[in-house]
Amino acid sequence: MREVFINKQRVDVNENNVEGYIFSSPIFQNIESILSNRTANFKLPKTQNNINIIKLSDTPDIVNEFPDEFHEYEEWRDGLLFIKGQCRLLSCTKKDITLFVVWGDINKLAPIREMKLRELIDIHALDWNSESKFMDVSSESKYGFLRVDFGRGFDDMQYILPSVNVSLILDLITESTGVHFAAEERFVNAFKRLWIPLLETNASKRQCEEAQAKFFLTKTVSGLGDEYVIAYPRMNGKGWFENKIIDEAGNLRVWWQGEYKIRYYGYVYTKKDPGNNKLAIASYEGENVPDEKLVSVHLKDFMPCGDRWRAVIDDEFIYTQDEHRVGFVNNPDLYIATQNGKKVRNLDYTTTLVDGGLAADPFKTDYVFVSGDYSLKLDSITFGMPYYITPNLPDMKVIDFLKSIMWQFGLFAHYDKKSDNTIRLVSIDDIYNYKSQAFDWTNKIADGDDELTFQYSNFAQKNYFKYSADDNVRTNADSVLEVNSRVLEKEKNLITLPYSPTDNVTDDKDNTYVKINLFDEDGNTNNIKTRIVREWKYNVSDNEDNPIPQKSGIFHPEQMFSYILPEYYSGYHTVIQRIRAVMRYVYLDSYDLAIFDPAIPIFIDGAYYMPINVTVMQNGLTRLMALKMHYKKP
């Protein structure tokens, strides 16, 4: 019995019209195929109930959005959930309504196609300053400072950038898209040992967005003479600037590159009529303020306000700087000045607006409160600022990152029918290990034109597995997988990782670590390709009896394809060494289809097969495409 629901409404079906349901395996295919690995076209009878469910879309005069959208689709067979996916309307005739159905693909998987790693959720940051520490070997953090030499050794932390664990990037993909990843424990553990050294200093949007702020002026004393005040953004309207732009002494910290603007808009209260004077702010202490240090805003709309005068500030400060650096407006000297910048008198007292107003104090000369907004456009950060992980991840798509991890371990992506939001990473070795769970279809064989072919996918006699080339790296981590077939093309590059290998160095204390020449002797940065390293141990103590182990990164021999191919591609190699692709017809009932899993082998007449494609035809007749699983040494 078939029960079909579109948008939770039951539709009328033809009981035997089920031809065209296709279950496809991703084996030897691109990971992107996971987004549509099960499809079908099938026809509904044109009953009044079905016409109503498709919102009368069979009539040319009716224009609606139903044909232009995907709709929730469920199909049950004999009480078992057979399909949970989406459908869209293809066509209507006098007798039939044709639907296209896709499953193994949910809405939350779609963003993986085009999303970049740097578009993932931005929630992780760490301090990058002279107090930053290398990670202890016992640390469970998934990001931090590994002992990786970026070209200037380990003495100065401004030339050390963080590294991020591969498993953290998978976590970020999950948090950003809702897609989970499952794999055998040995692969999960392997992910935890792999780290990607970050090579850039991009700013986070959290450090760049516009923000509103209230600037209060607080009193400071300079020696025994005049009192000065500093701008102190004590309150922030939005953004992540609190505790970010104020140093420990309370100074206004300014980060800029190119042009940085602060716009003040608010009121100034003074004891005396400001006249044609203006409020001046200078990042310079002392009586003689250089012109290039002077920034001032005009006062306008003067009016009496009790025993004070109120003037309106509406002006913008523009700072320009050729080099990117962190600057401070240290103890800016605020005073009332004439139009030509000559100081009239200092502003030497303020109050925070706790009481909602500025009460006049006869013992003080002026009261100033400035309320305004400012914006920061920061392309990159400098040493001393918080370092955010996500904006500095490799500049690649999420799907390319997933491919790179899968290629290192011979994994393929399977949609997990038991969990809508899970991608299961499976190797051909895993499929060999699942032989004990194989589906026995020996007694389900049907008469048909069986077919045996001797080529599947696109291999060559020599299939090269490579890292990206880097002329500055001596380490060669490439290898080749050979297929003994003279009918194939001679050679091809089968896989090229988006990472370059890295050279290891060993110091006089037998500590081994990678050296990536990101910084030259003058501190300038070089263009370096993305790297991936293996977690290792670095002893920092001079006392050999009591070493203090920290985490380092090395390019491990197990990262070389000469190790990867026999370790993770043995089943893969066994299958492609003598390709035997068979097509057979079988009869499958609703239960067989409900429990079918393309990662589980099929057993027929004493032989095991990896299913590649299963097409459901009428009356339970099913066409099976599968690869012969040759004997593989344990």
Side-chain angles (χ1 to χ4, degrees):
M1 178 181 178
R2 297 177 62 217
E3 297 174 283
V4 176
F5 299 85
I6 298 177
N7 296 333
K8 295 184 169 50
Q9 301 179 79
R10 184 171 178 176
V11 299
D12 302 324
V13 298
N14 292 325
E15 188 68 26
N16 294 324
N17 188 1
V18 295
E19 184 172 358
Y21 284 98
I22 301 173
F23 299 77
S24 296
S25 168
I27 295 297
F28 303 127
Q29 296 187 33
N30 195 306
I31 183 179
E32 292 164 342
S33 65
I34 191 163
L35 296 181
S36 56
N37 64 342
R38 300 180 180 201
T39 60
N41 289 353
F42 82 92
K43 296 179 180 181
L44 298 175
K46 198 172 180 181
T47 64
Q48 189 59 50
N49 176 55
N50 291 345
I51 292 173
N52 292 338
I53 289 175
I54 67 171
K55 301 186 183 303
L56 309 180
S57 299
D58 64 314
T59 304
D61 295 336
I62 301 296
V63 178
N64 60 56
E65 297 179 350
F66 192 91
D68 303 313
E69 296 177 343
F70 276 98
H71 304 276
E72 181 182 331
Y73 181 94
E74 281 191 8
E75 180 168 341
W76 295 73
R77 299 278 186 92
D78 298 327
L80 299 171
L81 181 61
F82 176 58
I83 291 174
K84 183 179 181 181
Q86 296 178 325
C87 71
R88 63 183 177 90
L89 182 62
L90 283 184
S91 64
C92 297
T93 67
K94 291 182 179 180
K95 296 182 179 180
D96 301 306
I97 299 169
T98 303
L99 298 176
F100 172 72
V101 181
V102 57
W103 65 106
D105 174 10
I106 58 171
N107 290 334
K108 289 185 177 180
L109 290 176
I112 287 182
R113 277 190 182 275
E114 298 300 329
M115 178 179 283
K116 291 188 174 182
L117 291 180
R118 294 179 181 180
E119 295 172 345
L120 298 175
I121 186 170
D122 186 12
I123 56 177
H124 298 293
L126 71 168
D127 293 330
W128 181 38
N129 53 48
S130 58
E131 302 299 319
S132 299
K133 305 295 183 184
F134 291 105
M135 297 182 70
D136 186 85
V137 74
S138 61
S139 173
E140 296 183 359
S141 176
K142 295 182 179 181
Y143 59 94
F145 295 97
L146 297 186
R147 286 272 180 173
V148 171
D149 184 350
F150 288 91
R152 295 289 299 272
F154 300 131
D155 293 335
D156 193 339
M157 289 303 294
Q158 69 175 309
Y159 299 115
I160 303 294
L161 298 184
S163 298
V164 61
N165 191 268
V166 163
S167 61
L168 176 68
I169 301 179
L170 293 174
D171 292 343
L172 291 175
I173 297 172
T174 297
E175 293 182 62
S176 301
T177 66
V179 178
H180 295 260
F181 300 91
E184 295 292 333
E185 186 176 2
R186 67 186 182 120
F187 296 119
V188 174
N189 291 335
F191 298 159
K192 293 178 181 179
R193 295 192 295 268
L194 289 178
W195 293 74
I196 296 178
L198 304 181
L199 303 174
E200 298 184 55
T201 53
N202 299 312
S204 167
K205 290 183 179 179
R206 294 171 179 264
Q207 296 165 298
C208 304
E209 64 183 312
E210 293 185 356
Q212 302 285 329
K214 294 183 183 297
F215 291 81
F216 295 91
L217 304 180
T218 60
K219 184 175 68 172
T220 63
V221 178
S222 177
L224 300 177
D226 294 331
E227 295 180 346
Y228 298 93
V229 292
I230 61 173
Y232 188 0
R234 190 182 299 274
M235 295 174 56
N236 293 308
K238 67 176 182 177
W240 284 78
F241 294 95
E242 191 166 4
N243 300 323
K244 303 292 189 205
I245 63 170
I246 309 167
D247 68 6
E248 293 179 358
N251 296 321
L252 174 65
R253 178 184 297 177
V254 182
W255 299 312
W256 71 82
Q257 181 178 22
E259 187 174 276
Y260 169 74
K261 297 181 181 180
I262 294 181
R263 178 174 175 267
Y264 285 116
Y265 179 81
Y267 300 107
V268 172
Y269 294 86
T270 69
K271 293 287 288 185
K272 301 177 183 179
D273 182 358
N276 292 324
N277 298 325
K278 55 186 178 181
L279 178 67
I281 302 178
S283 57
Y284 184 84
E285 293 187 39
E287 292 293 332
N288 299 317
V289 180
D291 292 341
E292 66 270 15
K293 296 288 186 179
L294 179 64
V295 179
S296 60
V297 289
H298 292 280
L299 305 178
K300 60 182 181 180
D301 298 333
F302 309 116
M303 62 177 295
C305 185
D307 60 349
R308 298 169 292 165
W309 283 77
R310 188 181 77 175
V312 176
I313 295 179
D314 187 2
D315 219 327
E316 188 174 77
F317 299 164
I318 300 178
Y319 299 93
T320 59
Q321 184 70 26
D322 294 334
E323 285 184 21
H324 174 83
R325 66 184 181 88
V326 176
F328 296 90
V329 182
N330 287 317
N331 296 325
D333 182 12
L334 274 73
Y335 52 88
I336 296 296
T338 62
Q339 288 291 346
N340 60 12
K342 183 179 179 180
K343 182 184 295 187
V344 175
R345 64 182 182 277
N346 290 328
L347 303 177
D348 58 4
Y349 178 77
T350 62
T351 180
T352 59
L353 298 178
V354 176
D355 57 359
L358 290 168
D361 187 330
F363 298 103
K364 302 297 179 182
T365 56
D366 289 299
Y367 300 83
V368 179
F369 164 58
V370 180
S371 176
D373 56 46
Y374 61 90
S375 62
L376 294 171
K377 290 186 177 180
L378 191 66
D379 293 327
S380 61
I381 61 171
T382 56
F383 188 60
M385 297 172 63
Y387 190 106
Y388 281 82
I389 299 300
T390 296
N392 292 291
L393 291 175
D395 188 14
M396 66 176 70
K397 292 182 179 180
V398 168
I399 202 164
D400 292 328
F401 167 76
L402 294 175
K403 289 179 190 176
S404 75
I405 300 305
M406 292 162 58
W407 288 343
Q408 291 177 76
F409 299 100
L411 296 170
F412 298 93
H414 284 257
Y415 171 74
D416 191 337
K417 64 185 295 184
K418 298 179 182 178
S419 176
D420 282 343
N421 299 336
T422 299
I423 292 177
R424 190 165 41 138
L425 303 179
V426 179
S427 71
I428 293 183
D429 287 347
D430 290 334
I431 297 177
Y432 268 91
N433 293 334
Y434 298 154
K435 278 185 175 182
S436 60
Q437 307 173 41
F439 300 112
D440 188 349
W441 288 359
T442 301
N443 295 327
K444 300 179 181 294
I445 297 299
D447 293 333
D449 295 328
D450 295 348
E451 183 179 348
L452 176 63
T453 58
F454 305 97
Q455 188 170 349
Y456 179 78
S457 195
N458 187 20
F459 299 102
Q461 295 179 47
K462 291 186 176 182
N463 303 276
Y464 292 99
F465 288 67
K466 295 183 174 183
Y467 280 81
S468 295
D470 189 325
D471 294 337
N472 298 315
V473 176
R474 299 186 305 273
T475 301
N476 182 0
D478 302 342
S479 192
V480 61
L481 195 68
E482 297 191 19
V483 177
N484 296 324
S485 175
R486 289 184 292 275
V487 302
L488 301 176
E489 62 177 308
K490 292 293 184 182
E491 58 184 20
K492 68 177 297 184
N493 292 332
L494 192 63
I495 285 175
T496 301
L497 293 178
Y499 315 106
S500 295
T502 309
D503 295 330
N504 293 324
V505 295
T506 302
D507 63 19
D508 56 5
K509 297 177 183 177
D510 291 331
N511 287 311
T512 300
Y513 49 88
V514 293
K515 184 172 183 179
I516 304 171
N517 291 313
L518 177 64
F519 298 104
D520 63 20
E521 293 180 355
D522 297 323
N524 300 315
T525 57
N526 298 313
N527 187 19
I528 299 294
K529 293 184 178 179
T530 305
R531 307 299 176 86
I532 189 165
V533 300
R534 173 86 170 266
E535 181 180 310
W536 205 242
K537 185 171 70 172
Y538 183 104
N539 292 322
V540 297
S541 175
D542 292 333
N543 184 352
E544 296 181 358
D545 296 330
N546 188 29
I548 302 173
Q550 294 178 338
K551 288 187 179 181
S552 66
I554 69 168
F555 193 77
H556 198 277
E558 292 183 5
Q559 292 181 257
M560 296 188 175
F561 274 116
S562 58
Y563 174 87
I564 291 173
L565 294 183
E567 179 67 17
Y568 297 110
Y569 281 82
S570 61
Y572 183 102
H573 195 195
T574 300
V575 172
I576 68 172
Q577 191 63 255
R578 292 284 185 265
I579 287 286
R580 298 294 184 267
V582 301
M583 183 186 73
R584 306 196 71 169
Y585 289 88
V586 294
Y587 283 109
L588 301 179
D589 58 26
S590 299
Y591 180 75
D592 295 325
L593 294 173
I595 66 172
F596 173 73
D597 184 339
I600 304 299
I602 304 297
F603 180 80
I604 298 177
D605 290 336
Y608 291 92
Y609 299 88
M610 283 192 305
I612 296 299
N613 185 288
V614 174
T615 303
V616 181
M617 307 171 75
Q618 291 193 12
N619 301 316
L621 185 62
T622 303
R623 183 173 63 242
L624 168 67
M625 289 288 297
L627 296 178
K628 175 72 179 297
M629 297 176 66
H630 306 294
Y631 172 76
K632 181 175 92 67
K633 294 181 180 180

